[in-house]
């Protein structure tokens, strides 16, 4: 599909800069505390088969291996991302393929994790979710974190997506309510939590503001403390992302 070819070329082009900004120590601390821990809460994944889909070089894989003791496979459409994944995690399997048509056997995984990847898939998001459903074992869990529609910040995000070369043309935040209606016959919607404030912007997504890493290192600890203080006040309207656990029926 042309959309996937565009995404492959896009992330091959920005891969090195993306890795530097999203794989730095402060960004990884943010991911662990504000995304991975709440997203994977309550899941016993020790010794279980977990797919990190749209994996890039496998930032979530590190958490899954070290803290959840899972057996992780990475899947990404970018050959450069998968080459980096293989280098970082030589004991994990890595597959360069599309999440809309992976070619993997049905019911291969106990859990599938996607971190900020689904909003790159429009207009083929429904095909990707059906493939994720096919790959999960019955009762398996689909965990994802994504920018969502309904946020007060979404209109600004849409404008930014259209005018910044870091974003591909098809990127769009997720309409979670519409997706739940469409896939109600396939999944049980277990948890939904709204996250993402100033740390989401200035620590996790520092790349879009072209923040130099030396400056990011200076302000990140204070910004993450502020994010933690304000976390209890976040809602659908005043958050930048949503984290969900869906269970396969």
């Amino acid at each position: 599909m042309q959309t996937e070819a565009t995404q492959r070329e896009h992330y091959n082009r920005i891969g090195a800069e993306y890795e530097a900004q999203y794989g730095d120590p402060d960004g990884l601390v943010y991911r662990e505390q504000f995304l991975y821990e709440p997203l994977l809460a309550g899941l016993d994944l020790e010794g279980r088969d977990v797919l990190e889909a749209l994996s890039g070089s496998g930032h979530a894989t590190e958490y899954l291996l070290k803290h959840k003791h899972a057996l992780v496979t990475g899947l990404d459409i970018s050959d450069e991302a998968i080459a980096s994944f293989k280098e970082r995690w030589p004991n994990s399997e890595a597959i360069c393929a599309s999440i809309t048509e992976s070619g993997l056997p049905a019911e291969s995984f106990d859990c599938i994790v996607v971190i900020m990847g689904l909003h790159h898939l429009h207009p083929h998001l429904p095909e990707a979710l059906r493939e994720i459903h096919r790959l999960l074992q019955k009762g398996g869990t689909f965990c994802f974190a994504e920018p969502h529609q309904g946020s007060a910040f979404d209109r600004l995000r849409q404008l930014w997506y259209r005018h910044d070369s870091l974003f591909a043309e098809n990127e769009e935040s997720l309409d979670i309510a519409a997706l739940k209606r469409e896939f109600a016959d396939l999944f049980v919607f277990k948890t939904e939590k709204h996250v993402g404030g100033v740390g989401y912007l200035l620590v996790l997504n520092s790349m879009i503001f072209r923040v130099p890493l030396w400056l990011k290192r200076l302000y990140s600890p204070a910004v993450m403390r502020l994010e933690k203080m304000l976390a209890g006040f976040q809602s659908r309207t005043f958050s930048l992302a949503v984290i969900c656990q869906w269970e396969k029926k």
Side-chain angles (χ1 to χ4, degrees):
M1 289 183 283
Q2 182 58 41
T3 299
E4 292 183 334
T6 300
Q7 283 288 349
R8 184 189 298 111
E9 294 170 3
H10 178 69
Y11 279 93
N12 281 344
R13 177 175 59 83
I14 69 170
E17 185 180 2
Y18 184 95
E19 183 62 29
Q21 285 283 352
Y22 284 88
D24 71 300
D26 295 304
L28 293 176
V29 168
Y30 183 92
R31 286 169 178 254
E32 180 173 322
Q33 292 184 3
F34 297 99
L35 297 181
Y36 304 154
E37 288 181 2
L39 178 63
L40 299 170
L43 296 179
D44 179 7
L45 299 177
E46 184 169 359
R48 302 294 181 90
D49 291 310
V50 177
L51 177 69
E52 185 185 358
L54 302 109
S55 62
S57 62
H59 294 146
T61 290
E62 180 172 16
Y63 184 85
L64 288 162
L65 291 173
K66 293 184 178 180
H67 297 277
K68 290 294 186 176
H69 309 291
L71 305 175
V72 184
T73 297
L75 182 145
D76 199 281
I77 200 168
S78 166
D79 48 355
E80 289 194 9
I82 286 299
S84 178
F85 186 101
K86 290 178 178 178
E87 183 177 348
R88 295 183 69 196
W89 315 114
N91 294 323
S92 293
E93 188 174 357
I95 299 164
C96 187
S98 167
I99 190 55
T100 61
E101 193 175 5
S102 70
L104 294 169
E107 300 186 357
S108 295
F109 299 99
D110 300 287
C111 180
I112 296 178
V113 176
V114 178
I115 306 294
M116 303 297 169
L118 299 177
H119 68 284
H120 300 293
L121 298 179
H122 297 286
H124 303 294
L125 181 56
E127 295 97 311
L129 293 179
R130 293 187 184 279
E131 178 69 353
I132 286 168
H133 180 269
R134 187 186 72 84
L135 293 175
L136 278 172
Q137 295 186 16
K138 186 175 182 180
T141 308
F142 172 38
C143 302
F144 63 91
E146 296 290 334
H148 64 91
Q149 294 183 20
S151 165
F153 308 100
D154 197 47
R155 189 173 298 276
L156 176 61
R157 177 164 42 210
Q158 292 173 14
L159 183 66
W160 202 309
Y161 280 5
R162 287 198 298 271
H163 293 91
D164 193 324
S165 62
L166 289 177
F167 302 102
E169 292 182 359
N170 68 307
E171 295 183 28
E172 182 181 338
S173 55
L174 271 59
D175 186 340
I176 298 298
L179 290 174
K180 289 167 73 172
R181 289 193 297 269
E182 183 174 357
F183 292 96
D185 60 328
L186 300 183
F187 292 99
V188 175
F189 309 116
K190 293 176 60 181
T191 66
E192 184 172 318
K193 181 178 181 180
H194 294 94
V195 298
V198 64
Y200 178 92
L201 291 173
L202 296 179
V203 180
L204 180 65
N205 288 293
S206 56
M207 180 177 176
I208 67 173
F209 297 104
R210 278 64 172 184
V211 176
L213 288 174
W214 67 265
L215 179 57
K216 181 178 177 179
R217 285 193 295 270
L218 293 179
Y219 67 66
S220 287
V223 167
M224 284 190 278
R225 284 196 296 270
L226 178 61
E227 181 116 333
K228 190 171 183 179
M229 290 172 55
L230 298 176
F233 300 96
Q234 291 190 292
S235 64
R236 177 174 177 266
T237 302
F238 297 106
S239 63
L240 289 155
V242 63
I243 56 178
C244 301
Q245 288 185 11
W246 292 3
E247 183 180 291
K248 178 177 177 175
K249 289 184 176 180

